[in-house]
Amino acid sequence: MTNRREATAAWRERFGVQSMLLRQFEAAGDFGDLSPREYDVLLVLAEAGEGLRLGDVASRTFLPQPSMSRIVERLEKRGLVERCSSPSDARGVLVSLTPLGATTQREAGRRHVRSIAQAITAGLDDREIATLTRLLTKVRLANTANAANTTDNANSRFAIGMEGKK
């Protein structure tokens, strides 16, 4: 049986590193005039390559749907995203990037990827980075079935914003 104290220490360290680095990325201006959560929405839409339902964007950004609605409204007012009817479901609404949103995401993404690489390689070599990635993937996969049942609860308490981002 895994030692609970060690498991808790590992969680706190992972969460602490993420929080610290996110503050550094914001201070460095990685996201421009976007919040990290707004950037996440643009990134998810860019990675999708097509419009997504609001619920899909919320789940891919680890945010609850009410928060996602407000973020999308702000991005829409700034001309970065647009809503349109789903071609497969007349009642459905899809959110997609505008050309300005795509450009904004690419520019912020370049800065952010540089910062991530700099932060991670400052303390780890390539082998250690591969090991860290493998271990975090293993934890995620071991908890995937349970996460599907608790997504809304977890998202509202532990929205992390940058998980799985490039």
Side-chain angles (χ1 to χ4, degrees):
M1 171 131 170
T2 302
N3 180 321
R4 288 183 182 180
R5 184 170 291 157
E6 289 299 319
T8 301
W11 168 256
R12 289 181 56 81
E13 193 63 30
R14 188 221 58 88
F15 194 75
V17 167
Q18 177 180 319
S19 297
M20 176 192 63
L21 290 179
L22 187 54
R23 285 191 301 272
Q24 284 180 354
F25 299 154
E26 285 182 272
D30 282 12
F31 310 113
D33 62 352
L34 299 168
S35 73
R37 289 180 174 182
E38 290 170 338
Y39 171 76
D40 280 352
V41 170
L42 298 184
L43 178 62
V44 162
L45 292 171
E47 288 175 338
E50 60 184 18
L52 293 174
R53 291 180 178 276
L54 199 59
D56 292 332
V57 178
S59 108
R60 292 179 189 195
T61 57
F62 307 101
L63 294 171
Q65 191 144 345
S67 295
M68 183 54 54
S69 294
R70 289 188 297 275
I71 291 169
V72 167
E73 283 175 23
R74 286 194 310 264
L75 293 171
E76 192 173 29
K77 284 179 184 173
R78 293 170 61 188
L80 301 175
V81 302
E82 59 189 0
R83 298 177 205 228
C84 61
S85 298
S86 170
S88 63
D89 176 7
R91 295 175 301 163
V93 175
L94 300 178
V95 179
S96 59
L97 288 176
T98 63
L100 177 61
T103 299
T104 301
Q105 186 282 318
R106 275 192 308 276
E107 291 171 356
R110 283 187 200 106
R111 290 187 300 267
H112 191 46
V113 167
R114 271 194 301 270
S115 292
I116 290 170
Q118 197 171 43
I120 298 298
T121 60
L124 302 173
D125 63 31
D126 289 346
R127 187 176 60 55
E128 290 168 325
I129 293 169
T131 299
L132 177 62
T133 301
R134 190 181 79 253
L135 292 172
L136 291 172
T137 299
K138 188 174 180 178
V139 170
R140 179 180 52 80
L141 292 174
N143 286 279
T144 297
N146 186 41
N149 298 325
T150 60
T151 298
D152 288 337
N153 249 351
N155 287 345
S156 63
R157 290 181 292 146
F158 301 109
I160 54 179
M162 299 312 300
E163 181 107 358
K165 303 303 179 232
K166 294 178 181 174

